[in-house]
Amino acid sequence: MGLVTTISTHYYAENNTRYVFLDGSSCKRLDACFNSLQQQLSIPAYFGNNLDALEEVINDLDWIKEDQVKIIIYHAVDLLEQEPDKKIAFLEILHTAGPKKMEIIYLGDSSAHQYLTDL
């Protein structure tokens, strides 16, 4: 029988790196993306749930104790499927507005290069 571990936080951190997971299949609308990021990045409650507010908090992240943040996006094709007009703006904020300690990784998506070249 395997070991089951319960984690008391909404994020995973190891070796001074916080890992944030965005599953495109469950983040088909912007509010779901905001909710996931708010939990995993411990974004303060005053977060405005809009793209301008996201850009502002992503540029800050002073409350995160880890030195590095890796945002791992999987099922990127499905990401913001119900709001496709916001997808490029959302990804652009993640890629350009974040502090140097943040890295975006596309997992298992052969079309990830499309998102990077569109930015």
Side-chain angles (χ1 to χ4, degrees):
M1 179 175 224
L3 177 66
V4 176
T5 304
T6 302
I7 300 173
S8 61
T9 60
H10 293 285
Y11 63 87
Y12 175 73
E14 181 177 82
N15 297 328
N16 213 17
T17 300
R18 183 177 295 204
Y19 294 90
V20 174
F21 300 92
L22 277 181
D23 179 359
S25 63
S26 63
C27 290
K28 294 185 181 212
R29 298 192 49 82
L30 205 49
D31 57 344
C33 292
F34 290 151
N35 185 46
S36 184
L37 288 174
Q38 191 165 17
Q39 288 181 11
Q40 295 181 74
L41 288 174
S42 307
I43 294 174
Y46 62 79
F47 175 61
N49 289 318
N50 60 60
L51 291 172
D52 289 335
L54 176 65
E55 186 171 14
E56 185 177 315
V57 297
I58 290 290
N59 275 314
D60 188 0
L61 298 182
D62 286 343
W63 57 87
I64 293 180
K65 63 183 177 185
E66 295 83 16
D67 289 335
Q68 176 114 27
V69 174
K70 293 187 181 203
I71 297 180
I72 300 165
I73 300 173
Y74 55 105
H75 301 131
V77 173
D78 299 327
L79 184 71
L80 293 171
E81 181 179 76
Q82 295 176 0
E83 296 180 276
D85 56 317
K86 296 178 181 170
K87 185 172 188 172
I88 295 297
F90 176 78
L91 292 174
E92 187 174 46
I93 288 169
L94 293 183
H95 280 277
T96 61
K100 296 197 183 331
K101 71 179 193 174
M102 193 165 77
E103 178 183 358
I104 311 299
I105 300 167
Y106 291 89
L107 225 178
D109 187 356
S110 60
S111 62
H113 293 92
Q114 169 194 343
Y115 306 116
L116 296 172
T117 57
D118 286 345
L119 299 178

